[in-house]
Amino acid sequence: MKPNDNSWVLITGASSGFGEEFARQYAAQGKSLVLVARRLDKLETLSAQLRERFSVDVIVEQVDLSSIPAVIELHQRLRERNVVIDVLINNAGHGLQGPFLDQPLDQSLAMIDLDIASLTALTHVFAADMRARKRGHILMVASLLSFQGVKNFAVYSAAKAYVLRFSDALHRELKSDGVIVTALCPGMSDTGFAQSARQTITPALKMVMMQPQPVVAAGIRALQAGRISVVPGFGNKAMTVLTWATPRRFHQGLMARIMGA
């Protein structure tokens, strides 16, 4: 395949979960895709399905996004191929449940590398291109946990708080340059994240768990509408209102119980 100079959607963490669903929904819109993740076999399987079903161009990039040099090299490769990224979906992320001091330090630092440092680097290099063109869209996948510190999710909730506040600031910084930045703050969703994070699924979480399709659709709609952020799901919206309306000792204790902490 020889990429042309039309606009592309770059999706990180595209091999599963929200990333895979973003790929399917954008492919259904006829968008050309750049799928980025570490698991090459899953990316290639997904890309073959999308090409066959939707007749879209798909580029597969196997990248360890926890490496900043790898992020810079990805950006350079795409520029050399004249692939113009109009939509950046910063979806790649990692989380673990458990007491902070019981987690190996290298795992906590790896989470920061992927959830914060890599996202920041990706945003910097691709947003600079967008600003130069006076056009672009960036969706930051944060979390419902970004609104508060949560027991046994100390690093993850803090990392997602960075994503949300970083997105909020860039929404205002880049708007006048024609670049839209939106934060998607999903609650518990059936993406496989809980298993990889070794998270306890409480009865309360089962009640509010959402499927990936409506969460991703809400994120795409919010980005296209130029919104600053979106929280999908009535129960999740109610939790954000509770967070704003109650003292921290109350809503943080409640969230700890809901999250099985």
Side-chain angles (χ1 to χ4, degrees):
M1 181 186 61
K2 295 182 180 179
N4 53 34
D5 61 355
N6 69 335
S7 60
W8 294 68
V9 179
L10 189 155
I11 303 166
T12 67
S15 59
S16 63
F18 288 141
E20 180 179 348
E21 183 59 28
F22 273 113
R24 295 188 185 280
Q25 293 197 24
Y26 273 115
Q29 295 182 18
K31 302 293 186 181
S32 301
L33 305 175
V34 179
L35 307 182
V36 182
R38 288 184 300 177
R39 294 181 289 183
L40 181 59
D41 56 338
K42 290 185 175 293
L43 286 179
E44 290 181 335
T45 299
L46 176 60
S47 66
Q49 293 173 353
L50 298 178
R51 290 188 188 105
E52 180 178 358
R53 181 175 178 184
F54 299 107
S55 300
V56 294
D57 290 337
V58 184
I59 293 175
V60 167
E61 285 281 351
Q62 183 184 27
V63 180
D64 179 3
L65 291 173
S66 63
S67 166
I68 300 303
V71 170
I72 304 304
E73 291 168 4
L74 168 66
H75 176 252
Q76 185 60 34
R77 284 197 302 275
L78 294 176
R79 291 192 71 175
E80 290 172 353
R81 297 179 68 177
N82 199 27
V83 174
V84 177
I85 302 301
D86 183 61
V87 180
L88 170 63
I89 307 296
N90 270 323
N91 168 71
H94 176 58
L96 285 174
Q97 180 179 21
F100 171 64
L101 293 180
D102 292 348
Q103 301 290 339
L105 178 59
D106 60 348
Q107 292 187 14
S108 294
L109 295 177
M111 197 186 313
I112 292 171
D113 286 342
L114 181 59
D115 293 9
I116 295 179
S118 169
L119 176 140
T120 303
L122 280 160
T123 303
H124 191 278
V125 294
F126 287 105
D129 294 341
M130 294 175 183
R131 183 175 65 175
R133 295 192 307 269
K134 296 293 183 181
R135 185 188 79 251
H137 300 77
I138 301 172
L139 185 70
M140 310 282 198
V141 179
S143 169
L144 190 63
L145 272 61
S146 62
F147 292 99
Q148 53 183 276
V150 181
K151 179 183 176 183
N152 289 351
F153 288 90
V155 177
Y156 180 75
S157 58
K160 289 302 185 179
Y162 172 89
V163 174
L164 178 59
R165 299 312 173 198
F166 181 57
S167 180
D168 284 353
L170 291 186
H171 177 85
R172 291 175 173 83
E173 284 187 27
L174 298 177
K175 188 174 182 179
S176 61
D177 295 313
V179 181
I180 302 300
V181 182
T182 300
L184 171 63
C185 301
M188 190 65 196
S189 304
D190 187 13
T191 61
F193 173 86
Q195 290 79 3
S196 63
R198 300 194 291 274
Q199 181 179 349
T200 301
I201 305 299
T202 65
L205 284 178
K206 288 182 180 179
M207 289 177 61
V208 298
M209 183 179 289
M210 295 182 66
Q211 293 300 310
Q213 293 89 342
V215 174
V216 167
I220 293 174
R221 285 196 304 269
L223 184 62
Q224 292 173 340
R227 294 179 58 185
I228 188 170
S229 64
V230 61
V231 178
F234 177 80
N236 296 325
K237 287 182 172 66
M239 190 65 210
T240 61
V241 172
L242 187 69
T243 299
W244 295 327
T246 61
R248 282 188 295 175
R249 65 178 181 274
F250 174 79
H251 60 246
Q252 289 186 355
L254 176 63
M255 182 61 84
R257 293 186 63 181
I258 291 174
M259 297 299 294

